[in-house]
Structures are given as C-alpha cells and as structure tokens.
Amino acid sequence: MSSAPLLRVDGVRAVYGDTVALHGVSLDIAHNEFFALLGPSGCGKTTLLRSIAGFETPAEGRIEVEGEDLLRLPAHKRPVNMMFQSYALFPHMSVEKNVAYGLEADGIGAAEVRSRVADVMDVVGLGPLAKRRPTQLSGGQRQRVALARAIVKRPKLLLLDEPLSALDRQVRASMQLELKRLQHEVGLTFVVVTHDQEEAMSMADRIAVLRDGRLEQLASPQELYAHPASRFVASFIGTANLLDGTVTAGAVEVPGFGAVIASHALAAGSPATAVVRPEDVELTADAAAAALSGTVVDTYFLGGATTISIEMPGHADPLLATVHGATRLERGARVGVRFGRATAVAREAGAGAEASAQVPPVAPEAPAPQEEVSA
Amino acid sequence: MTTTNHPAAPAARTVRRGLAPVPFLAPGMIYLILFMALPVGLLAFYTFFKRGRFGGIVFEFTLDNWVKLLEPLYVGVILQSIVLAGIVTLLALLIGYPMAYAIAGLSPKWRTVALIAVVLPFWTNFLIRTYAWILLLNNAGWVNQWLQGLGITDAPISMLYTPQAIVVGLLYMYLPLMVLPLYASLQQLDPSLREAATNLGATPWRAFRTITLPLSIPGALTGCIFVFVPAMSNFVIPELIGGGKTIMVGNLVRDQFFEARDWPFGATLALLLTILLVIVIVVQTAVSRRLTEGPRRG
C-alpha cells in the first residue's frame, strides 16, 4: 500500500470473561479496498467488526480511521456504517423511511434526504418498493434495503456482517457480483466478514484469515491459494491434498510418496506438509510406467471439471485430482499419479496440527508461480 | 374407513377434513358456550324486562333499564370508574415501563430473580394484601405514625377511604399485569435493531424514541388492557380501601343484584361494562396489528 491506510487496526485484544476473542490483531485496510475477514465461527472476525463499529470495546489496542482514534468515539459518532447479518430493518417503517433513517439522525434537511434516498434506491434497484414494509419483501429485496440504508450516508468504511448468508444460492451469486459492482460504482471501502471462503475469494481484493483470535495470513485470494502460510489456511481455502512429511532441499519427503517437489523457505529436517491442489495432480493412464499409482474410488462430475478421488496405497486419505470436462476413468481403474506445482508449510511435529503462523509465508523467489495462477 | 369410488366421495372427504379439529376444540368450546356465551346471552335477555319485587324478573318487555343508564347518577359513576381505572392504567404504564425496560436489560440470572419478585405479590391472598393497605393507610396507621414521628406532619392525614387510596390499591394490585407483557415485548426486540439505529448515527435517546419505544407499543397496549379491564370492574378495593364512599361500576353492579334486588338493571350495567371492555380490546388489537405489520397490502 503506497498511501496511508484508511483503517488501521493495531494490536487489538478483546476478552469476554475468561475467553480471549482476539489476541492482538493488527492489519491495515487501504482506501477503496474490498477487504474480507475470513474464518470459521469463533475465530474473532465478528468481534473485530463489532469493535470497529463500536458495539464492543477492545481491552487493548488501537483502531484508527484516517489517523483518527475510533475507540474514543461513541458508536453513533463513528464514520462507519454496517450492514447487519439479520439486516436489522426497522419493521415499523417503510423501505424509504428505513433508508432515510441515518440521514434524518444527522439532521439533514427533508429535501436533501428525499433526493439522496431516491438516488440510493435507484442504485440498488428498489425504487418501486419505496412504500413497502420490510415484512412485505423477499430476502434479496431486504438485503438491498439493508445495503441502501448503510451506503446512503456515504461512510468512509462499510462493514458487512455475513452479507449473503441468509440468501439462497442463486440470489447469492448475483448479489456477489452486485456488491462488487456497487463497490466500484460508489467508491467505498468494504470490509466483509464471512465464514464462506468461496464468497471471500470471489469478492475480496485481500483476505485476512483469522483463527482462534489470531491473524493467520493476510494476502490476496490468489496468494492465499497458491502460497498458504499454514496447514490451516491450506485446508480452509479451496480444496487441497495435504501430504505430511519432512523438509528436504526444495521438496518434502512424504512417506509412501517419496520427495514431493515444493517451494518453501523452511529449514531442512523440520516437519512440514506439502500442499498440492487437485488441479496440480496429473494423472496418466499408464499406471505401470508411473512412479506413483493408485485406484479410482469415485468421480464427481461438476460440469466444467471433474474431481477424481484416488486411493493411494499406504495413505489414509484419498488423493483428489481435478481434470477439465468429463473423464472416462471409472471406479476401480488404475492410474499413474504425478505432482505438479506444490508448496510446503510448516507443521508441528507429531499431529497434523497446524504450527503457529510465525513462519514467513512466502519465499522471496515465489512470485513467479503466483502470477501464473492469477493470470 | 374405506373410501369407495363414489361421485360424492371428494366432497365427503373435504367435510371430514374440515371436521378434523373438532375433537380438539370441542371441550373448550362447550365449556365456553355453557359458562360464557350462555350467561352473557341471558344477561342481555334480562335487560329488556322488569324487575321482580324481591329480585328475579318479571317478563314484561321494557326499555327502562337502558334509559335509566342515562340518569346523571349512573353516568357519573361510569365516568368516575373510567377516570379512576384510566389514572391507574396511566400510572402503571409510567411506573411499569422503566421497570420492564430495566428487567429486559438484566443478565438472564437476575432477570429471573426480578420477574419472580414482580409476581410474588400474586402468591399472597388478595384480601390479606388489601387489609395490609388498610393497616398502612388508616389514621393511626404506619404511614401516619412515621410522618408524625419524623415531624413532617402534626396531625394524621386521612388517606384511607379516599379516591387516591383506591388508585393506590388498584395500582398495587395490577402493576405486575403491566410489567409482564411490557417485559415480554421489550425482551423479544432484536438487539441488532437498536445497534443499527446507533450505527446510523442515532444518539441513545433517539434510538430509544424512534425504535424501542414504537416497537414496544403493542406490549404497552396489552399491559394497559390487562390493568384497565380488571381495575374498571373491581369492587372489593373501592369498598375496603375506598370505604364504599367512592362507587365504581363494579360496586354498582353488585349492589343492584344483592342490595337493590334490581336484577334487570344490574344486568344492564354488567352488560354495558362488558361491551365497553370488548370495544377497548378490539381497538387495542387493531392498533397493535397496524403498528407491527403496517397497513395491509402496500
């Protein structure tokens, strides 16, 4: 980020009674960025969002917007608007009144309120529904009202708490595109909280992966996918074959598979996991000629691609491989297996448990394959 | 039961399906018809006949009973009842709302404690509670003793047997009926609504005034009905704490039946009371629905 950040979160620690929700999280968010806070439930992402909005008070740390200390402001004075997971529409007010609420709270004149509400309603396509009550709307329409209400004040920062979780699959897909379009159109900075990695990957410019109140990795979706910083990130983002072994020069020695070539910056001899994405597993029909081979357990046809599940001798979990289009492989077929690109992440000795994220995520020479992925 | 392929079969099936709830509804409905609809019908019937000399009725049609209601004496009693019950309801709302609001904001554990404390008086016998007020309020009662003991007054103030004492007694009795529905409506309010208002720039007071307050009006109206209806028809408290000096509709009804032995007029008063209260409830329901759901079809 070249310019000063819009939002700076610095060492934020949050505690509920005996449980620590956030262990000193720090991150910067740039102007006009579409930023996602991603993690499983209980990872602290919602606590961080609510701390920014002013509904929670962190025990320690600073939160700044353009250098201004947010924590000193009460919630109603913060230049931040939020779209709630439940939408939190006011049931006793019409759509138009809901959208106007924030402007009226600021004491803006009736004429200006009317024109700004009308503008926003057009942007989100709600014009004809202005006089309806929230109970008379569909889920997707309610979401638009919530969105309109949150952007009408042109906040410096728009917080979205699980914005799409209440919608069914098809509406969700179109809303995703719409949110991105809107973000470009109105030029706002979006911070989305979500537990859905696909949602975060498809919308965000950068993603902060949180786990147990700690920042696990902060990177672009492409970077997270190609170079996960930990076993947890590798398994949480996309699908991955996780092959546990020991670091050697430029590879991970995996019992049963031999040396799996993987980019890494780990010390030789330390425990590590090779991360191989299903599309980087190459299959050959001639099983006998291949160094590694296995038996097809199942195939999953997904339309544009097929995922093949392969049982490997001496390995508990089946290996997943993705090929374009349909496949002629059938259950029980023998296939040769070869690993293409892979990365290695540190692993705590013994269990497949994830090591701390202290390890530098990416080796300096790494950018080359990353660009390939994003291209 | 076997269904044959008969032309009338579909219709019969529809009827049978329509009758399906009968076993569940019948016991309650029969009970209500026997002990509610029938007596009210009888009451309405009595209002059009003449009184017997020693109670009972003489089956001679007359409208006198309804005309008699318009006499200033009775109009006065009815109006006084409405005013007293109205004051009690208003006070209950003013005292009960902050109470319910505070209870809804407590942690679950303390909420239970507070709610038990609110309903606790109900577990004591009603007459005992009423006599306790007499002990407190009479000229030689505790309140007067304290006031004089503290040097605030020289002579006892007569508090018992006044309309104010009736209000105090009724309020004490029915306050929990205001607090409980109010608490229920405040407690089920989605906390994110208030947060959304705050997030949109509303001060805490504005958020309360524009979100919490309007959304708790249905609960407040229910509480008002729960207090107003029994307060209006109560006759024990006006008699014991009011000393029978201030007559409310309830006293009037009882006196007509048991002392004046004018059953038809007693029935007319009772029916009037019922009609008034039904109107109040219908209005309350309509207002609540309008507030929460908005005008039907937008």
Side-chain angles (χ1 to χ4, degrees), chain A residues 184-206:
Chain A
H184 293 306
E185 212 165 279
V186 295
L188 290 177
T189 306
F190 279 33
V191 178
V192 173
V193 153
T194 180
H195 65 275
D196 182 339
Q197 55 96 11
E198 265 180 56
E199 197 170 298
M201 297 279 277
S202 61
M203 292 194 294
D205 300 322
R206 284 195 310 152

Side-chain angles (χ1 to χ4, degrees), chain B residues 207-268:
Chain B
F208 172 78
R209 192 168 50 79
T210 55
I211 307 299
T212 311
L213 189 61
L215 289 174
S216 62
I217 287 177
L221 286 175
T222 307
C224 288
I225 295 285
F226 281 8
V227 172
F228 185 82
V229 169
M232 174 100 179
S233 45
N234 189 302
F235 59 87
V236 177
I237 286 183
E239 184 142 321
L240 294 182
I241 301 182
K245 285 196 280 182
T246 310
I247 294 180
M248 292 178 71
V249 188
N251 304 74
L252 209 54
V253 173
R254 203 207 46 174
D255 290 350
Q256 291 306 314
F257 276 100
F258 294 107
E259 276 161 33
R261 300 204 178 276
D262 190 344
W263 288 18
F265 187 58
T268 312

